Amino acid sequence: PHPEQEAAPSHNELVAAKNRELTAAQEAIEEKTQRQGELAVKVVELKNDLEETSSTLEKDEDYSVQLKRSCDSKAKEYEGIKKTRAEELLALADTIKVLNSDDALELFKKALPSAESLLQLQTTEKELRSQALELVQGVARKFHHTKLDLIAMAISGKKKGFADVLKLIDEMVAALKVEQTDDDAKVAYCEKEIDATEDKQKQLKHEMEGINAHIAAAENDIDTLQTELKELAANIKSLDKSVAEATEQRKTEHNEFIQNSAEDNAALELIEFAKNRLNKFYNPKQYKEPPQEELSDEERTYQ
């Protein structure tokens, strides 16, 4: 087959192959562009999450500072209250000891009708009340506790016996223990709340590290996609150029083929004319009369 006959299918196959490459490259560009857009949206969302988490962490840190300051203040206050309460309990314990002493018990047991026994009973009770009152009033003056004042009044008065005074003391001891339990619970709550806040801060910091890592990975993927898109665009440009060059070359070759064919045909016609002219002289039998040209109407008119 003539090269021209082989060139056309070969060029068509080349163009088809290049077009397939172009289509694949364009599809890759669409896919990567979509992926790039999705990643950009993801980065924006992650940065919003990071901002919210950072804001939450900042608030928690402020709360933690205030909580620690408050708990430290309360702890010092509780220590003072605890010390005061301990002194009150000690004074009440000493008062109970006085009122529960052998003299007091003996006093309760005796009920002698004689004047001498009655005088002795009154003297002993007075001494016990005085000792107990001194203990209670000493603590009451120091700490200004209303219940201590009531107990002091009960001891100094004549209407309430030792049993009534001891009941008041027992009630106050029970109340002080409840107060101590409440204060201990408040201290424990403070410690627990501080631990929980610190744990939450650690968790938030860990979340922020994770978000930052995701942002960095997404931005790295975006950079990679941008590089790949540039490479694909350059590849498409190169493919377009190669197709254009191949097409231009094919046109040039085809035009050259047409021109060469025309020149060859003209040469062949000239040879045939010369050969026929020679036959007219040397071989008349093979001579062919050239076809007469058909005259136009104008030419026939002037003939």
Side-chain angles (χ1 to χ4, degrees):
H2 195 279
E4 173 66 15
Q5 295 175 337
E6 294 178 349
S10 177
H11 174 263
N12 292 336
E13 289 176 5
L14 174 64
V15 172
K18 295 295 183 182
N19 284 334
R20 286 194 294 271
E21 290 183 36
L22 282 170
T23 300
Q26 288 168 348
E27 289 176 353
I29 285 177
E30 290 177 3
E31 180 184 349
K32 292 180 184 297
T33 301
Q34 181 179 353
R35 175 62 179 157
Q36 187 181 34
E38 292 172 352
L39 285 171
V41 172
K42 182 179 179 182
V43 167
V44 172
E45 292 175 347
L46 285 170
K47 287 184 177 179
N48 287 337
D49 291 343
L50 181 64
E51 185 177 350
E52 291 178 4
T53 306
S54 177
S55 176
T56 302
L57 177 60
E58 185 178 351
K59 291 177 182 177
D60 282 357
E61 286 175 341
D62 290 341
Y63 172 70
S64 179
V65 170
Q66 295 174 6
L67 180 64
K68 287 181 180 179
R69 188 182 294 123
S70 175
C71 285
D72 288 343
S73 176
K74 290 294 183 183
K76 292 178 183 178
E77 181 182 340
Y78 292 155
E79 284 300 318
I81 293 173
K82 186 176 181 180
K83 184 178 179 181
T84 299
R85 192 177 290 119
E87 292 186 30
E88 289 176 333
L89 288 170
L90 180 61
L92 292 174
D94 289 341
T95 304
I96 291 173
K97 186 177 179 180
V98 169
L99 296 179
N100 283 331
S101 65
D102 293 339
D103 291 338
L105 293 173
E106 188 66 24
L107 180 64
F108 291 137
K109 292 178 182 178
K110 288 181 180 180
L112 300 176
S114 65
E116 182 181 353
S117 297
L118 182 60
L119 180 62
Q120 183 181 359
L121 184 65
Q122 290 174 346
T123 302
T124 304
E125 181 180 355
K126 185 177 180 180
E127 290 175 355
L128 291 174
R129 283 183 181 273
S130 178
Q131 292 178 25
L133 183 61
E134 184 178 353
L135 288 169
V136 174
Q137 283 181 335
V139 180
R141 283 193 298 271
K142 185 175 181 180
F143 301 115
H144 307 289
H145 203 296
T146 305
K147 288 186 178 180
L148 287 173
D149 292 335
L150 292 174
I151 292 173
M153 289 176 61
I155 293 173
S156 60
K158 301 289 185 180
K159 294 182 179 180
K160 292 188 179 290
F162 285 0
D164 295 327
V165 173
L166 287 171
K167 183 179 179 183
L168 288 174
I169 292 174
D170 288 341
E171 290 174 353
M172 184 172 180
V173 168
L176 289 173
K177 288 181 178 180
V178 170
E179 290 176 5
Q180 184 61 50
T181 300
D182 291 343
D183 288 346
D184 290 341
K186 291 175 182 177
V187 171
Y189 170 79
C190 261
E191 293 173 350
K192 182 179 179 182
E193 193 69 11
I194 289 173
D195 289 341
T197 304
E198 290 177 348
D199 289 342
K200 186 178 179 182
Q201 289 175 17
K202 290 178 182 178
Q203 180 184 353
L204 289 171
K205 288 178 180 178
H206 180 69
E207 289 178 5
M208 289 177 66
E209 290 174 359
I211 293 172
N212 279 320
H214 285 308
I215 290 174
E219 289 179 339
N220 183 65
D221 288 344
I222 289 174
D223 291 340
T224 301
L225 286 170
Q226 286 177 341
T227 301
E228 292 175 352
L229 286 168
K230 288 179 181 178
E231 292 174 354
L232 285 168
N235 188 31
I236 287 176
K237 187 176 180 180
S238 175
L239 286 169
D240 286 338
K241 183 179 179 182
S242 64
V243 169
E245 289 175 349
T247 301
E248 186 63 28
Q249 181 180 352
R250 174 65 191 129
K251 287 180 180 179
T252 301
E253 291 174 352
H254 181 66
N255 290 334
E256 289 176 354
F257 169 74
I258 292 175
Q259 184 178 352
N260 291 335
S261 296
E263 291 174 354
D264 291 344
N265 289 333
L268 287 173
E269 288 178 359
L270 183 60
I271 291 171
E272 287 296 326
F273 175 80
K275 182 179 177 182
N276 189 52
R277 191 76 177 82
L278 289 172
N279 282 336
K280 183 178 182 181
F281 183 76
Y282 293 104
N283 193 2
K285 290 183 179 181
Q286 293 184 3
Y287 175 74
K288 297 177 182 178
E289 288 289 339
Q292 293 184 353
E293 295 182 1
E294 186 177 350
L295 299 177
S296 64
D297 292 339
E298 186 178 355
E299 288 175 335
R300 282 197 294 269
T301 303
Y302 290 101
Q303 192 172 14

